[in-house]
Amino acid sequence: WKTGSFEEKHIALAIQNRVSELWAVDVHPAAQIGGGLLMDHATGVVVGETAVIGNNCTILHGVTLGGTGKERGDRHPKIGDNVVLGAGSTVLGNIRVNDGATVGSQAVVTKEVPPGYTVIGL
């Protein structure tokens, strides 16, 4: 994505658009995704352009890794290794969810999550 030609970027966006239409999954082509990702029942998952997802993470349905709308440039979350993002959870802004953390279902996260912590609620 970063070094691709104009045509290659358009192809990537066309594929992303079609996947979004068919399966209701919106992962920007520029998002960085590590190995071993489990996207269980991925319907409704949204991953923003500057998001980074580490290795061996689990993302359940309805998860959003998005921006706050107040930032420019690097504006999406950074997810560490071995993180679990529960169904319907929302992580907003250029924050970090550190290694081994768990974000509970329907939680809204706007601040950094320390390694190994579990967060729920707002």
Side-chain angles (χ1 to χ4, degrees):
W1 176 260
K2 292 179 182 179
T3 60
S5 68
F6 181 77
E7 292 80 15
E8 290 170 333
K9 287 183 180 183
H10 277 288
I11 291 169
L13 287 171
I15 291 169
Q16 179 270 337
N17 185 54
R18 187 65 178 142
V19 167
S20 181
E21 288 174 4
L22 291 173
W23 295 293
V25 176
D26 187 0
V27 178
H28 194 282
Q32 298 176 38
I33 301 174
L37 173 66
L38 170 62
M39 211 179 273
D40 193 24
H41 304 288
T43 302
V45 170
V46 176
V47 179
E49 177 180 13
T50 60
V52 176
I53 301 171
N55 295 314
N56 303 313
C57 291
T58 299
I59 298 178
L60 302 178
H61 62 280
V63 169
T64 298
L65 302 178
T68 63
K70 298 178 182 179
E71 303 171 59
R72 299 260 187 248
D74 191 3
R75 61 196 179 280
H76 296 103
K78 310 304 177 257
I79 308 301
D81 295 337
N82 303 304
V83 171
V84 176
L85 301 174
S89 61
T90 301
V91 183
L92 298 175
N94 187 10
I95 62 170
R96 182 153 179 82
V97 178
N98 285 287
D99 295 349
T102 299
V103 177
S105 294
Q106 301 299 324
V108 177
V109 181
T110 58
K111 295 181 181 177
E112 182 169 339
V113 179
Y117 274 49
T118 296
V119 295
I120 59 171
L122 297 175

